């Protein structure tokens, strides 16, 4: 598994970027990282249910589970503003609210339309490639890198990891498939 700090270092260096693609990339990747979201959950984010307030992101998404329940995602402010998902998403939403008037949060900028799952995967993969992460890794590997990083940082507190990743208490998914 690749090291998550590769991407967080990229986010730090691209902090002052003004171009629309980098603004979206920073918001997309930081929201995925600090929300432990799957690409499909990113695609399901909507403006009306995504609120940035009091140094927190509150959003709701439909899960990939068979029941497809709606869950709340809470992302707190990171102490480093250069990699903070709250700040990145706020900047992105502020930029797009007057230009891209749509219920979606993420956009296919080249086509001027909401980004579907395929486009979100392409954007996330482009970030990986730009940062030298080998082609064997896909957009979904970001979640694997996040969970692996979290497991190492937290000393493998599996209860906390399961809560963070929104798995059932007692799940062994992280131990068996994610912490590579």
């Amino acid at each position: 598994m690749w090291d998550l700090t590769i991407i967080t270092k990229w986010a730090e260096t691209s902090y002052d970027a003004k171009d629309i693609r980098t603004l979206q990339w920073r918001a997309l990747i930081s929201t995925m990282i600090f929300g432990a979201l799957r690409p499909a959950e990113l695609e399901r984010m909507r403006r009306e249910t995504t609120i940035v307030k009091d140094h927190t992101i509150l959003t709701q998404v439909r899960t990939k589970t068979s029941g497809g329940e709606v869950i709340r995602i809470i992302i707190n402010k990171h102490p480093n503003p250069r990699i903070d998902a709250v700040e990145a998403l706020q900047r992105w939403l502020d930029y797009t609210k007057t230009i891209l008037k749509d219920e979606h949060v993420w956009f296919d900028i080249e086509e001027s339309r909401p980004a579907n799952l395929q486009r979100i995967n392409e954007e996330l993969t482009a970030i990986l490639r730009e940062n030298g992460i080998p082609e064997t890794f896909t957009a979904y590997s970001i979640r694997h890198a996040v969970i692996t990083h979290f497991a190492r940082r937290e000393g493998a507190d599996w209860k906390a990891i399961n809560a963070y990743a929104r798995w059932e208490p007692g799940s062994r998914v992280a131990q068996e498939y994610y912490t590579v």
Side-chain angles (χ1 to χ4, degrees):
M1 182 50 58
W2 52 274
D3 182 357
L4 186 62
T5 60
I6 294 168
I7 298 300
T8 56
K9 285 179 183 174
W10 168 82
E12 284 185 294
T13 61
S14 64
Y15 178 75
D16 290 324
K18 303 276 188 261
D19 67 285
I20 188 170
R21 176 170 236 149
T22 305
L23 283 173
Q24 178 167 252
W25 277 11
R26 285 189 72 251
L28 188 63
I29 198 80
S30 62
T31 302
M32 184 175 189
I33 288 171
F34 293 105
L37 293 161
R38 296 170 179 90
E41 293 167 342
L42 285 167
E43 190 272 333
R44 295 175 186 142
M45 287 176 67
R46 296 294 181 264
R47 280 183 180 276
E48 65 190 28
T49 57
T50 301
I51 300 161
V52 181
K53 126 181 181 179
D54 298 330
H55 309 294
T56 303
I57 297 170
L58 304 169
T59 192
Q60 297 177 29
V61 295
R62 190 165 302 280
T63 65
K64 75 168 198 159
T65 61
S66 59
E69 66 182 292
V70 175
I71 58 166
R72 272 182 88 183
I73 308 292
I74 300 170
I75 304 172
N76 293 310
K77 189 161 193 65
H78 191 279
N80 180 350
R82 299 180 81 77
I83 62 171
D84 179 30
V86 176
E87 182 276 337
L89 186 60
Q90 183 67 66
R91 283 177 67 189
W92 173 247
L93 291 173
D94 286 348
Y95 178 82
T96 61
K97 73 180 169 189
T98 56
I99 297 167
L100 303 167
K101 296 179 181 174
D102 192 274
E103 68 179 17
H104 294 82
V105 173
W106 312 112
F107 293 89
D108 180 334
I109 295 164
E110 294 169 4
E111 300 289 327
S112 297
R113 65 179 183 207
N116 61 19
L117 180 57
Q118 177 183 345
R119 188 61 182 172
I120 286 173
N121 281 326
E122 289 169 359
E123 295 292 321
L124 292 166
T125 301
I127 297 167
L128 298 180
R129 298 303 161 261
E130 182 175 298
N131 286 280
I133 296 169
E135 289 188 21
T136 55
F137 295 104
T138 65
Y140 202 87
S141 75
I142 297 166
R143 183 169 158 93
H144 283 258
V146 168
I147 302 303
T148 299
H149 181 82
F150 188 68
R152 289 180 181 153
R153 191 188 78 205
E154 293 297 319
D157 177 350
W158 302 114
K159 185 176 178 181
I161 292 166
N162 286 340
Y164 179 65
R166 296 174 305 283
W167 289 311
E168 294 294 320
S171 172
R172 296 197 42 81
V173 171
Q175 295 100 308
E176 294 177 18
Y177 300 105
Y178 276 74
T179 52
V180 181

